[in-house]
Amino acid sequence: MTISHSQDLLLALAAFVLVGGLTPVMRRLAIKHEVMDSPNTSHKTHKDPVPYLGGVGIILGILAVSFGALIYKHAESKNFWLALSVLGPALVLGLIGLWDDIKNLPPLPRFIAQTVAGVFTSAILISSSTVGTPTGSQTLDAIVTTIWIVGICNSINFFDNLDGGAAGTIAISSIALTILGINGHQYLVGGLAAVTAGATVGFLLWNKSPARIYMGDAGALFLGILIASLTIRLHPSAETQWTSFATPLLLIAVPILDTSVAVLSRLRRKISPFQGGRDHLSHRLVRAGLERPQAAITLWVLSGFFAMCAVLIPLTNKMTEQIISAIAALAWAGLFTYFFRTADSE
């Protein structure tokens, strides 16, 4: 099944309209049933309760547009199964995240669910030979894939700490992933990424500062495993193995940077990495003097830079793609050094 750039644009537009329309409905439901994020812990930065359930709108929009498009295209059953192998585990984690939004689960059940979803997804990828950049060893592929999925799920969840920050960043990564998927003739990856881009931009209309609704763990976990699965399925058209491995890292470079800085700073202070805190990139940018909207835009710009590097890699020759990857790696290391050296809190 092939999908053109114009069809990808239609998919993104459909998801944008659907999620943009569903989100205020979810907001009213959250207020009615008091599913709210209350500023009752020290790491919360908002002053008034903000409704959750934005993630439910994202999930419904992505599922409806994705499977609706497959039905409309009269896709073969194998394409339905491929889509289900990506969206099924994401839906399960999204439902667990919704449960967490409502009941406030401890970290351990969430981590167990992420691990189970990671093992299940990696088993599907290995058995169907759809790992984009295999290592040559099925065992190593399975380990790397599971760690990647669990790590990115937590990374996106950690990163969702600023109005519009996570939604905008995921939208940028998804746009780049759409381009890479279509240019590489990986139409399922490109199509699902286009739907994700449209859905997150539609949600961003309501989530930008000052946010009127949050995606919650339902949205963060759903999007986390979805992006992780799509990036691990992507087969970059790179000339060397290491630049091929660099491509998915570049697509999610900023959430990975955020998690690395926050976790290592907590370990340095001898506190649990799973404990909330004001030590994320967004908090550090605000303490550096930026307004919250400016901090979100800064994160989007950084994401755009790394995403652009990922898109350029398959379009250049061997030497140039290595230079691009090296520049991106140095930029990431420099950003890590800068943020890690800034104060963890005021």
Side-chain angles (χ1 to χ4, degrees):
M1 184 182 72
T2 60
I3 303 175
S4 65
H5 286 292
S6 60
Q7 289 173 325
D8 267 338
L9 184 60
L10 287 175
L11 288 172
L13 181 60
F16 168 79
V17 172
L18 184 54
V19 174
L22 280 173
T23 301
V25 177
M26 294 298 109
R27 183 178 186 274
R28 289 193 293 270
L29 282 174
I31 294 172
K32 179 180 178 180
H33 296 285
E34 298 183 350
V35 185
M36 311 289 284
D37 183 11
S38 300
N40 51 12
T41 55
S42 60
H43 68 275
K44 304 285 188 180
T45 57
H46 54 287
K47 297 179 180 179
D48 301 310
V50 178
Y52 275 141
L53 299 187
V56 176
I58 293 173
I59 293 170
L60 291 175
I62 289 177
L63 293 177
V65 173
S66 299
F67 287 110
L70 288 169
I71 293 171
Y72 178 78
K73 291 278 288 185
H74 303 289
E76 297 177 4
S77 59
K78 67 176 183 179
N79 291 317
F80 276 95
W81 284 112
L82 283 172
L84 187 61
S85 69
V86 175
L87 296 172
L91 176 59
V92 171
L93 275 193
L95 292 174
I96 292 172
L98 176 60
W99 186 13
D100 184 30
D101 291 333
I102 297 172
K103 297 295 184 179
N104 194 21
L105 297 175
L108 184 58
R110 287 180 295 171
F111 182 74
I112 292 173
Q114 292 165 9
T115 303
V116 170
V119 170
F120 176 77
T121 303
S122 65
I124 292 175
L125 293 172
I126 302 302
S127 63
S128 60
S129 299
T130 50
V131 176
T133 309
T135 63
S137 165
Q138 284 195 347
T139 301
L140 186 56
D141 283 345
I143 293 172
V144 170
T145 301
T146 301
I147 292 174
W148 174 259
I149 290 171
V150 175
I152 297 305
C153 276
N154 280 290
S155 185
I156 298 299
N157 202 19
F158 276 27
F159 191 59
D160 185 28
N161 54 65
L162 175 70
D163 297 352
T169 295
I170 293 171
I172 292 167
S173 299
S174 299
I175 291 169
L177 193 52
T178 301
I179 296 170
L180 288 167
I182 295 300
N183 288 348
H185 306 292
Q186 293 181 264
Y187 300 108
L188 179 69
V189 171
L192 288 175
V195 173
T196 304
T200 45
V201 174
F203 173 70
L204 188 60
L205 295 176
W206 302 89
N207 182 241
K208 66 181 187 295
S209 185
R212 286 170 281 179
I213 188 170
Y214 290 159
M215 70 170 69
D217 283 355
L221 294 180
F222 177 86
L223 291 171
I225 192 171
L226 178 56
I227 290 294
S229 297
L230 292 176
T231 51
I232 207 74
R233 282 178 182 268
L234 178 71
H235 180 69
S237 303
E239 295 288 339
T240 63
Q241 186 79 352
W242 79 273
T243 51
S244 181
F245 280 119
T247 300
L249 292 169
L250 290 172
L251 290 169
I252 322 178
V254 174
I256 293 173
L257 175 65
D258 177 75
T259 301
S260 300
V261 169
V263 168
L264 291 176
S265 69
R266 291 171 194 178
L267 292 175
R268 179 180 62 182
R269 290 175 285 140
K270 298 180 179 180
I271 63 176
S272 170
F274 296 102
Q275 177 179 322
R278 298 191 181 191
D279 48 13
H280 292 279
L281 302 187
S282 61
H283 302 128
R284 296 167 192 264
L285 287 170
V286 170
R287 284 196 294 273
L290 297 184
E291 299 292 333
R292 291 169 66 83
Q294 294 173 329
I297 292 171
T298 301
L299 296 176
W300 299 344
V301 170
L302 292 176
S303 298
F305 166 74
F306 289 111
M308 182 180 65
C309 291
V311 170
L312 288 176
I313 283 176
L315 301 178
T316 57
N317 57 38
K318 182 177 179 179
M319 178 63 71
T320 305
E321 74 177 34
Q322 292 187 75
I323 292 173
I324 292 171
S325 299
I327 290 173
L330 288 172
W332 193 95
L335 289 166
F336 174 84
T337 302
Y338 167 75
F339 282 113
F340 190 68
R341 292 178 63 181
T342 58
D344 292 314
S345 60
E346 291 181 317

